[in-house]
Amino acid sequence: MIKAIDIHVHGHDDEAIKAMGARNAQMGKYFGKELAPVSLDELADRYREKEMMAVIVNSTDVTSSGIPPVPNDHIADAVRRNPDVFIGFGVVDPWQGRVAVDEAKRCAEELGLRGLGELNPGRQAFYPNDPRFYPLWESASDHGLVVLFHGGMMGSGAGTPGGMGFKLKYTRPIPYLDDVAADFPQLKIIAAHPSWPWQEESLAVARHKSNVYIDLSGWAPKYFPEQLVHYADTILQDRVLFGSDWPVIDPDRWLSEFAELGIRESSRRKILLENACALFGINL
Ligand SMILES: [Zn+2]
């Protein structure tokens, strides 16, 4: 019996580490730990043991770094081997235009992936509401792909002079995500993380547009601001999702700290499991 779905898990195998380039050492330093590689099958075993499912996200910044991403086929293969625990997301670089649109279609139709992301507007240097990217959101919407956007401050580049050149302005929820959510009402969007320092904007977008979800990944729950906890327990209880952002935060740590928050049992079940089941049409 599945107890929870971790909506935001990064691969950290040899392929993923290679695709991170200089960010692997930088993130390791910033978060105070550099993790050894873990194969996707080993990761699947860990989630199976915890009786949890995991959404494996992919990531790219090929346009700014020149480093090719982990092929989406690599994620899809891992999902095929572990369909009981994995849901897979593919990734595209929006700047690749037609190539990105075609890859989104291939992710859905050929690879059986369920979403796109984690797209990181900061690292990929794009405003999601730029009309040049609208064919991509339209394709995602048409194919039922959930799109997961990183929001707010990011670990990538953090603590280095110039933040490795990444600009935070792209990661602001209003107007960039809000516009996309308004113009593609059928598109399901996940705003990842509490979007600090724009948490209120993220809450407002999710409150206003029912196609927007917030994942609580990348932050230790013991540091969640009171307002976030309150919204997650009340008016946004149907649209907030458990995510760890592993390897940044270990899901066990996330869950034990989350258990300490004053959230009603009914909201807790929704956040940990039921909202993700509804989003992906999973019938347990
Ligand atoms: Zn992120």
Side-chain angles (χ1 to χ4, degrees):
M1 181 62 187
I2 294 296
K3 291 178 181 154
I5 299 179
D6 185 343
I7 198 86
H8 193 136
V9 180
H10 292 269
H12 199 67
D13 55 2
D14 291 323
E15 286 79 357
I17 290 170
K18 201 167 78 190
M20 287 178 81
R23 284 192 304 113
N24 186 45
Q26 173 267 319
M27 300 256 302
K29 198 172 162 206
Y30 179 66
F31 289 110
K33 55 177 179 188
E34 200 170 322
L35 284 189
V38 175
S39 76
L40 288 174
D41 290 331
E42 155 76 18
L43 191 59
D45 285 341
R46 291 186 190 177
Y47 275 91
R48 198 171 281 119
E49 213 165 274
K50 299 178 207 300
E51 299 180 273
M52 280 164 48
M53 292 181 77
V55 174
I56 304 296
V57 300
N58 200 358
S59 156
T60 182
D61 44 32
V62 62
T63 306
S64 54
S65 70
I67 304 172
V70 172
N72 290 325
D73 305 70
H74 181 69
I75 308 283
D77 287 344
V79 175
R80 258 180 236 118
R81 292 193 304 271
N82 301 283
D84 55 325
V85 283
F86 279 171
I87 294 165
F89 277 19
V91 80
V92 298
D93 194 309
W95 288 111
Q96 290 183 317
R98 190 71 230 172
V99 170
V101 173
D102 289 347
E103 179 65 4
K105 182 171 188 271
R106 194 179 77 91
C107 282
E109 291 183 348
E110 290 177 34
L111 299 183
L113 297 172
R114 302 296 310 276
L116 295 179
E118 174 175 21
L119 297 178
N120 189 318
R123 251 170 52 221
Q124 298 178 283
F126 74 98
Y127 288 117
N129 68 343
D130 184 325
R132 285 177 290 182
F133 307 126
Y134 270 30
L136 180 57
W137 314 141
E138 189 173 0
S139 174
S141 180
D142 289 350
H143 290 93
L145 290 168
V146 174
V147 184
L148 185 146
F149 289 95
H150 173 93
M153 222 292 285
M154 53 184 147
S156 294
T160 67
M164 294 174 93
F166 304 136
K167 295 174 180 167
L168 297 175
K169 64 180 179 180
Y170 297 107
T171 68
R172 187 167 183 160
I174 298 176
Y176 311 119
L177 278 199
D178 186 60
D179 283 7
V180 176
D183 294 336
F184 297 93
Q186 304 307 318
L187 179 67
K188 298 277 198 287
I189 293 173
I190 300 174
H193 323 303
S195 292
W196 180 71
W198 301 295
Q199 174 188 280
E200 274 80 359
E201 292 193 10
S202 186
L203 293 173
V205 174
R207 174 66 170 141
H208 192 244
K209 296 179 173 67
S210 65
N211 51 324
V212 176
Y213 295 73
I214 291 174
D215 89 31
L216 298 176
S217 74
W219 280 65
K222 70 174 168 189
Y223 299 121
F224 284 173
E226 202 178 317
Q227 192 185 24
L228 180 65
V229 176
H230 175 68
Y231 272 63
D233 192 27
T234 55
I235 50 178
L236 288 180
Q237 60 181 281
D238 295 316
R239 245 128 10 74
V240 171
L241 305 161
F242 155 47
S244 65
D245 204 10
W246 186 87
V248 168
I249 293 195
D250 190 85
D252 293 335
R253 176 192 173 183
W254 195 100
L255 288 167
S256 70
E257 290 184 13
F258 184 68
E260 299 298 312
L261 299 177
I263 289 183
R264 289 172 295 175
E265 193 47 41
S266 55
S267 306
R268 199 176 288 283
R269 256 198 332 270
K270 288 180 176 183
I271 294 166
L272 293 178
L273 183 64
E274 293 170 2
N275 293 344
C277 285
L279 178 59
F280 293 109
I282 296 171
N283 203 338
L284 289 174

